[in-house]
């Protein structure tokens, strides 16, 4: 751990960890010696989300204007986000044991809209990807495996990238509105399906898994405290998955395991858990001390630069500044590019590039 801290301190300010310049303090050898949890990179929130169709949004805004504001954002294709420098993606996953559950959205029936969107993938087998069934259902990759294939293809074409974190949320239930669909609970079979679909696209050599990090340590918590994360050299070109899920879902994903033996994904758990290696702390102002402490303890942290379109509408960068200063390894935004309807607000990694040394190291 002490050597890792020395290595991080030796990196020059403004050094792009993905593409070192070769100048003193920014060489490939020096950068590659860093542990992967020493980085800080930008990511996107609900990375799959397309805009709600105009007529559907107008209908929703009349009924629930404040809620409509929070859903009024969208993202480009996953490959385009990665091209632009995103190294963390977030995907909402829904269980669909009898394919087609989400293929006839209520809003599309209530407000016929000429905006083209192909619903046929929602009739196919497999886990589905969308934000709010019946209302905010448009996705750049409606099938989870399609999202995974897009990420894998980009990764193969850019083999030197710093590790990509893919967070997934598991959506259950739904709106308390007549005619809407309730998403089934992720039971044990559904949890196994998540891992099975990920492994159908990513070979073990392309993943960073809990077992790899834990190694011979008794727990994941002990492993990361002892510096168990791979170096950047070993982690380049690979992807790490994390279940950003509430305690009940985390318990179902872990099952009877001591930590996460055999699982693909890390889980969002309290710092004291034996499975503690990743944590979501989305409030960089209120949780600044906790974020910094978690990073110091060896955990990988994701926080947010903005939320619910609020910062973009006001061009308020205070939360963004706090997020980067906190040292969280992955800082998520809805605005890698400005939304011209709102103004110039945009989230950028300080110093540019795809990744820098976390200021909390």
């Amino acid at each position: 751990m002490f050597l890792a801290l020395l290595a991080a301190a030796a990196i020059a300010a403004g050094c792009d960890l993905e593409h070192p310049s070769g100048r003193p303090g920014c060489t490939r050898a020096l950068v590659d010696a860093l542990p992967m949890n020493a980085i800080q990179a930008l990511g996107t929130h609900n990375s799959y989300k397309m805009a709600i169709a105009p007529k559907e949004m107008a209908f929703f805004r009349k009924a629930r204007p404040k809620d409509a504001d929070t859903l009024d954002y969208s993202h480009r294709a996953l490959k385009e986000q990665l091209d632009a420098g995103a190294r963390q993606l977030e995907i909402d996953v829904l269980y669909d044991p009898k394919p087609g559950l989400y293929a006839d959205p209520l809003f599309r029936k209530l407000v016929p809209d000429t905006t083209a969107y192909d619903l046929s993938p929602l009739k196919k087998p497999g886990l589905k990807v969308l934000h709010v069934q019946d209302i905010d259902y448009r996705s750049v990759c409606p099938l989870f495996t399609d999202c995974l294939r897009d990420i894998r293809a980009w990764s193969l074409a850019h083999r030197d990238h710093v590790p990509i974190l893919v967070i997934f949320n598991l959506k259950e239930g739904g709106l308390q509105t007549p005619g809407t669909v309730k998403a089934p609970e992720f039971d044990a079979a559904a949890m196994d399906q998540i891992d099975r679909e990920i492994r159908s696209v990513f070979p073990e050599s392309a993943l960073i898994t809990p077992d790899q990090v834990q190694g011979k340590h008794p727990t994941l918590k002990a492993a990361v405290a002892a510096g168990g994360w791979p170096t950047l050299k070993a982690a380049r070109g690979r992807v790490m998955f994390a279940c950003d899920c509430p305690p009940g879902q985390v318990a179902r994903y872990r099952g009877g395991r001591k930590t996460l033996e055999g699982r693909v994904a890390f889980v969002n758990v309290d710092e004291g858990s034996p499975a503690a290696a990743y944590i979501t702390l989305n409030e960089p102002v209120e949780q600044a001390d906790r974020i910094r402490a978690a990073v110091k303890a060896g955990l990988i942290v994701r926080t947010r630069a903005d939320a619910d379109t609020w910062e973009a509408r006001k061009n308020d960068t205070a939360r963004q500044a706090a997020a980067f200063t906190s040292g969280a390894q992955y800082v998520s935004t809805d605005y890698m590019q400005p939304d011209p309807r709102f103004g110039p607000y945009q989230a950028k990694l300080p110093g540019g590039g795809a990744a820098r040394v976390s200021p909390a190291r």
Side-chain angles (χ1 to χ4, degrees), residues 49 51 57 61 65-75 306-316 333-346:
K49 182 175 152 29
M57 174 56 85
R61 190 173 293 284
K66 290 184 179 179
D67 289 338
D69 279 352
T70 69
L71 300 183
D72 196 7
Y73 64 94
S74 63
H75 290 291
D306 42 70
D308 299 330
T309 76
W310 191 92
E311 285 80 9
R313 292 174 188 274
K314 296 180 178 294
N315 192 28
D316 188 328
T333 182
D334 287 320
Y335 299 96
M336 290 194 72
Q337 296 83 26
D339 186 328
R341 299 173 305 160
F342 301 153
Y345 179 83
Q346 181 179 12

Side-chain angles (χ1 to χ4, degrees), residues 205-217:
S205 60
L207 295 168
I208 297 165
T209 66
D211 284 341
Q212 293 170 12
V213 173
Q214 184 169 334
K216 295 181 179 180
H217 293 277

Side-chain angles (χ1 to χ4, degrees), residues 83-237:
D83 281 341
R87 295 296 178 266
Q88 173 259 302
L89 301 171
E90 181 180 23
I91 299 173
D92 287 341
V93 183
L94 291 84
Y95 188 33
D96 191 14
K98 297 180 179 179
L101 184 60
Y102 313 107
D104 191 19
L106 178 62
F107 263 34
R108 199 166 179 85
K109 292 182 287 187
L110 293 176
V111 191
D113 195 300
T114 57
T115 306
Y117 184 68
D118 182 10
L119 289 165
S120 62
L122 295 176
K123 299 176 183 178
K124 297 179 181 179
L127 299 169
K128 303 305 188 297
V129 174
L130 50 101
H131 191 220
V132 183
Q133 64 268 34
D134 291 303
I135 292 178
D136 195 5
Y137 54 85
R138 294 167 184 254
S139 171
V140 299
C141 44
L143 289 172
F144 186 45
T145 50
D146 285 345
C147 300
L148 298 174
R149 291 188 188 101
D150 286 348
I151 298 166
R152 175 65 172 153
W154 188 93
S155 179
L156 285 170
H158 303 81
R159 293 178 182 269
D160 279 348
H161 67 75
V162 297
I164 296 168
L165 170 63
V166 179
I167 300 168
F168 56 85
N169 302 128
L170 305 180
K171 293 294 188 77
E172 299 173 340
L175 301 172
Q176 300 302 313
T177 303
T180 57
V181 170
K182 302 296 185 291
E185 178 182 280
F186 276 80
D187 57 15
M191 294 300 186
D192 289 343
Q193 185 174 346
I194 295 167
D195 282 13
R196 189 166 58 250
E197 292 197 7
I198 292 173
R199 291 191 184 279
S200 76
V201 176
F202 287 89
E204 185 74 13
S205 60
L207 295 168
I208 297 165
T209 66
D211 284 341
Q212 293 170 12
V213 173
Q214 184 169 334
K216 295 181 179 180
H217 293 277
T219 64
L220 263 175
K221 178 186 176 184
V224 301
W229 293 105
T231 63
L232 269 184
K233 181 178 181 179
R236 286 186 185 276

Side-chain angles (χ1 to χ4, degrees), residues 4 7-8 17 34-40 229-230 232 295 300 327 329 356-361:
L17 303 185
L34 291 170
M36 63 169 276
N37 63 317
I39 74 169
Q40 186 175 74
W229 293 105
L232 269 184
V295 173
I300 285 179
Q329 290 91 343
R356 67 171 186 165
V357 173
S358 164
R361 294 296 299 180

